Every structure is written in C-alpha cells, then in structure tokens.
Amino acid sequence: MFKSFRKTFLLIPATLMLGSCWELDQEVLDGITQEEVNNSNNPVLIDVLKASAYSRIVGSWGSHNSIWSIYEISSDEMAIPQKGADWEDGGLWLRMHRHTWQPSDEAFNNSWAYCYTAIGEINNLIVAYRDVELLTAELRVLRALVYSWLIDSFGNVPIITEDDLEGNPTNNTRQEVFDFIEASILENVDLLPKEDTKTTLNYYSAHAVLAKLYLNAEVYTGTPRWADAEAAADVVINSGLYSLSQNYFANFATRNGGSTENILTLPYDENNAGGFNIAQMTLHYSNQATYDLQEQPWNGYASLEEFYNSFDDDDVRKNSFLEGPQFAADGTRLNDISAEDNDPDGEPLTFTPEINQLAPNALRQAGVRVGKYEIASGASSNLSNDYPLIRLSDMYLTKAEAAFRQGNASEALEPFNMVRERAGLDPLGALTLDDIFNERGFEFFAEASRRTDQIRFGKWTQPWWEKGQSEPFRALFPIPLQQINANPTLTQNPGY
C-alpha cells in the first residue's frame, strides 16, 4: 500500500471531505506488477495514475447542481421554470436566473467542492510521484484547467499546490490565480504528448486552455492579452490534428470519440462514468416514451424564447433545440402529464418557444428543450456521450475575436466564416463585435460558454426575460458561505 496524504485544506464540508482523500490501493493498481510500480516512468503505470485524477474531472460536470448548471441558468440561454412545487428547490434556480443568488446557495458549494476535490486528488498524486516527470507535468496542467473554472466562477480563490499540506488557506487575488494558471501550463506544456488524445490533455489542448485564458485576461486581470490568445489558438489550428466535423452534431453524438473536431472531452459512460444527465434535466416526463428511457425525465431546463428566436431558420444549429409536437418512439402523439399523473387524456404535448412565466405556475410544456446531445434509445439517466470541453470551432472563433479586437478585421473573417459556413449560412463580408458574440452563442449553446462570453462582451448586467439589470459585482459568484464557515480565513467577494 502506498502512503495516503489526507489533507484538511480542501475547503469542503466534513460530509464531503472523505471523498476528497485519495488512496492508491490494490484496486487502483490492479494488473500492474511490482516491477512496473518500481519503474516510475513506465507509461502503463502513468496511465493508471492519471485515470484517478481525470475521473474526478469527469465527476459531475454535466449534472444537475453543477458548474454547467450555474453557468447555463445564470446566462440568457436557459432557465428552469417553476411549475407549482416542481423545481421550486427553495428558489435556487429562480435566483440563479434573476441574478439574486445568495452565498448560501448549495449549487455554489457543490461547484466549489467539485473543483477542490479534483485539485486535492491531483496534489496527492504529485506528492506521491514527484519524480515521474511526464505524469506530474500533465497533472499540473490538469490542475490549471480546474483553476481556469475557479478563476472564472469565483475569482479570488486559494491556490493550493502539492506543497500546501497543512492549515487553512486564504484567498489569492485573481491576478495571482491567473499567473499561476499561465505558469503551470507554460512550464509543463512541452512535456505533453502531441498526438490526438481527446480524453486527456496533450500539447495542443493545453494551448487551447491558454487561448481561452488569454481571451478573458482583461476580465480577470484588467490587462488584455489578445495577441497571446490568437497565438495560442494558432498553435492548435496549425497542428493539423483537428478539423471541423462536416456534421455539426457528430460532435455531440452518443459515440463521438471519433470526432475530428473535439480537442478535449469528458468521457462519460452510463455504466462506468456517470454524471452527464442532460436528458433527465431537460426532457418532459412524457418524453420517456420518445427514447424508451430507463427513468422518467424531470422536465426542467428550457431555452429562453429570445435566445431560441435569435437563430436563423437556415442555421443547422437551430436543431440543437427540441421544439413543437412530441411523439413516442412508435409515433404516438404524447400528452402533457405531470410526474405523478399518468392520465392519457392530458393535452397534446408541444414544446413552445414562449414560456408563460418563470414562476410559480409555468406551463409544463413551455420552453424549447436541449436537443443538442444525442439521446440513445433505451438510455439510462446517465448519457454515454463524451462531453466536449474544447472544440476546434472555439479556437477559430477565439482567433477571430482576438484578431478583430487588435484591429485586424480582415484577418478575423476567414476563421469566423469557416464556422458560419459549416452551419449552412452565407459568409459575412464584414464583422462587428456583436456578430462574433452572436456566433459564439449559436455555436456553443449548452456548452457552458455563454456566461463567460456575456461578461467579456459587456452584456452580463443587461436585462433579459424575467431578469432586471444586474449589479456589476455579480460577474463573480460568491465564495460559498459553507466554505467561509468551515474556514474563517477566507474573504468573501465584494458585494456579498
């Protein structure tokens, strides 16, 4: 048995702390001989050890009450309308949509714990295998990826490394977190593989993380880094490893491991790696019969009418939504029933773009639903689609935006139009910042991108349906109250 390092600095409640402690036991080492263990640079052992860290990243990213959820529901893409008592949830999702959330809201604590549990796992591995250069290099870049979510969500968060084994940490500034992410990648990226790995980091996906960090540098630090964002995106684009999929939806299929466009994915599997349950989160109860699902969906997440209507009817990406009459797998028209009521005489089920109200009595069939990710017939509550964290189209639009913001509008057109034309739309002859913002919305719906884009483009505080003008401080989520109670050395973000 290898030594286990139990840490109290993971900043998560005691009920979650046990899940953060990693122990290299015989189950982890199953199939690895003692000779291979002794050979610290053995690639087989490295792959086994990495799997432990990446499993924490897969975790519950795409599930209810996750980072994905707080990003989507706080943006102008989606809402979770309250239907009587259904989805009341103590008002959590109403506050999330209206930008009136509270530091005690559990979704923030869950997202924080998700990130720091992964960081703890990574730190444990680095401590145990400091001398395995290829392993620790990749783990440090993986840790930087997790910190890229923390800097975007909470801003002034503690930096915890393998050398921080004791005590309660204090907040670092957002600038310090930015510098830590950047240095972690730049100091280790050359040791990462250059082949297409998809479910683990490589040289190019690390540069993609850098590109996205630099694209938001002005938000994070006050200093723009547009040229650096473009240069990092170019490293990925010019690699020759990736190309836009001819079929946009091939990137989100149940079996999408062969996508030429997906650069870094979370490899979900309904049997071995659950946690991606978008079908449960968005579909109406009756849609269980549409896909012969093993469990009844929850009838929650729906797109806002204005966002849905912003798509051109000729844009193939408008098929990312489920709209209109709904049918069972055998073609039978479905009825709008409640979760408890199986009355076959309910009104015919039709998803309407209009949502009559956010609360308290939203109609059960109001709002178009998320149909971007293929839902396999007979699927369980956990889908097996690999979730794309980074796609090549993101690098094209990153390059386009960074070039445009540097005054190179003509240089921005080619990568922008490549994405647009793949969607079946005519190329544009000139660009505005709003064109780029809108295109990112069309391209990355339901990929947890919109909130970050709205903040960067200065649109986050503006009113939208059922939401008034936001206070500027809400560009950062609050440090979870549960974490401050557990660690009084933490300082709350301004405004909360």
Side-chain angles (χ1 to χ4, degrees):
M1 182 76 67
F2 283 75
K3 186 176 181 182
S4 165
F5 294 85
R6 293 188 176 270
K7 298 179 173 61
T8 59
F9 58 75
L10 291 181
L11 307 180
I12 55 181
T15 55
L16 293 174
M17 192 167 293
L18 290 178
S20 72
C21 299
W22 179 81
E23 194 168 318
L24 186 60
D25 56 22
Q26 194 55 48
E27 183 179 351
V28 174
L29 291 173
D30 186 37
I32 304 297
T33 67
Q34 187 62 47
E35 181 180 0
E36 288 172 324
V37 171
N38 292 339
N39 182 1
S40 62
N41 285 299
N42 184 284
V44 177
L45 176 61
I46 290 175
D47 286 344
V48 171
L49 295 172
K50 285 196 304 185
S52 177
Y54 279 98
S55 68
R56 290 294 188 188
I57 304 298
V58 174
S60 57
W61 168 270
S63 67
H64 172 51
N65 234 10
S66 63
I67 288 182
W68 187 92
S69 290
I70 64 176
Y71 274 39
E72 288 293 343
I73 303 306
S74 64
S75 80
D76 68 347
E77 283 191 350
M78 292 191 209
I80 306 179
Q82 180 187 334
K83 308 160 189 73
D86 201 2
W87 285 102
E88 190 275 333
D89 285 13
L92 167 63
W93 300 113
L94 304 181
R95 293 192 295 274
M96 196 68 66
H97 179 78
R98 291 168 172 159
H99 289 195
T100 58
W101 51 72
Q102 302 168 358
S104 59
D105 283 339
E106 189 64 28
F108 298 128
N109 193 48
N110 290 344
S111 299
W112 179 283
Y114 162 82
C115 290
Y116 276 105
T117 298
I119 289 167
E121 189 93 352
I122 291 166
N123 286 339
N124 287 341
L125 282 165
I126 295 175
V127 168
Y129 291 92
R130 286 181 185 270
D131 297 331
V132 187
E133 187 178 41
L134 297 179
L135 173 65
T136 57
E138 184 170 340
L139 290 175
R140 288 186 172 100
V141 177
L142 183 62
R143 186 174 60 194
L145 172 64
V146 179
Y147 269 105
S148 74
W149 303 329
L150 285 166
I151 192 176
D152 192 76
S153 301
F154 303 106
N156 308 296
V157 299
I159 298 172
I160 302 174
T161 73
E162 65 276 12
D163 297 319
D164 301 308
L165 302 182
E166 297 179 359
N168 285 328
T170 59
N171 307 69
N172 288 89
T173 67
R174 214 176 191 188
Q175 178 71 63
E176 290 170 337
V177 178
F178 181 96
D179 293 342
F180 174 74
I181 297 169
E182 180 185 28
S184 296
I185 297 174
L186 292 177
E187 292 169 5
N188 294 283
V189 66
D190 288 336
L191 292 173
L192 270 56
K194 290 189 175 181
E195 63 267 18
D196 183 7
T197 51
K198 285 229 188 331
T199 59
T200 57
L201 284 157
N202 67 10
Y203 178 84
Y204 301 108
S205 54
H207 276 90
V209 176
L210 263 183
K212 292 166 73 69
L213 179 74
Y214 290 143
L215 191 66
N216 293 286
E218 188 170 20
V219 172
Y220 299 157
T221 71
T223 303
R225 299 281 293 271
W226 308 120
D228 290 328
E230 183 177 8
D234 276 336
V235 171
V236 184
I237 293 169
N238 298 331
S239 69
L241 279 185
Y242 312 102
S243 60
L244 293 181
S245 298
Q246 289 186 337
N247 178 357
Y248 174 77
F249 292 99
N251 300 310
F252 314 101
T254 301
R255 294 179 176 85
N256 58 346
S259 164
T260 62
E261 181 174 340
N262 290 342
I263 296 171
L264 182 63
T265 64
L266 300 179
Y268 285 104
D269 180 271
E270 65 176 338
N271 297 314
N272 302 309
F276 185 36
N277 51 25
I278 183 62
Q280 296 299 112
M281 292 149 61
T282 190
L283 294 179
H284 187 280
Y285 322 110
S286 297
N287 282 126
Q288 182 175 12
T290 305
Y291 305 98
D292 292 326
L293 299 176
Q294 296 177 29
E295 299 179 26
Q296 188 178 64
W298 308 330
N299 196 30
Y301 297 55
S303 181
L304 302 193
E305 181 180 11
E306 184 176 0
F307 182 77
Y308 170 74
N309 287 336
S310 69
F311 283 67
D312 192 297
D313 287 340
D314 294 329
D315 191 333
V316 301
R317 296 168 299 192
K318 198 166 188 177
N319 292 317
S320 297
F321 305 89
L322 298 176
E323 186 267 342
Q326 298 298 297
F327 301 88
D330 63 4
T332 305
R333 189 78 159 83
L334 292 176
N335 292 321
D336 174 23
I337 60 173
S338 72
E340 298 79 20
D341 179 14
N342 290 317
D343 179 6
D345 297 324
E347 294 183 6
L349 176 60
T350 302
F351 291 145
T352 62
E354 179 186 4
I355 304 174
N356 62 307
Q357 59 182 252
L358 183 62
N361 294 308
L363 298 174
R364 290 191 298 264
Q365 53 185 311
V368 295
R369 309 307 168 90
V370 182
K372 183 171 187 172
Y373 300 91
E374 182 185 15
I375 302 170
S377 177
S380 75
S381 59
N382 294 299
L383 298 184
S384 293
N385 315 48
D386 289 353
Y387 178 90
L389 282 174
I390 306 174
R391 296 190 286 116
L392 181 62
S393 61
D394 197 354
M395 294 299 98
Y396 280 134
L397 292 182
T398 294
K399 177 178 174 62
E401 181 182 342
F404 185 89
R405 289 184 185 272
Q406 293 175 83
N408 301 322
S410 58
E411 182 184 347
L413 269 174
E414 181 179 2
F416 176 90
N417 281 328
M418 289 178 69
V419 175
R420 182 175 171 83
E421 290 180 81
R422 193 265 298 271
L425 300 174
D426 293 332
L428 297 185
L431 285 180
T432 66
L433 272 179
D434 277 345
D435 290 328
I436 297 172
F437 173 73
N438 292 335
E439 192 64 29
R440 290 190 63 88
F442 305 144
E443 181 70 14
F444 303 118
F445 165 65
E447 294 183 59
S449 176
R450 185 69 165 181
R451 170 188 171 271
T452 305
D453 291 344
Q454 286 186 290
I455 293 171
R456 187 173 69 257
F457 280 86
K459 300 179 183 293
W460 179 247
T461 60
Q462 297 175 2
W464 54 78
W465 179 79
E466 288 274 5
K467 171 198 164 296
Q469 186 80 14
S470 303
E471 302 104 325
F473 72 82
R474 291 191 183 271
L476 280 178
F477 292 134
I479 306 297
L481 181 62
Q482 298 89 330
Q483 302 301 327
I484 293 178
N485 288 340
N487 175 13
T489 66
L490 289 176
T491 302
Q492 182 57 271
N493 284 328
Y496 293 106

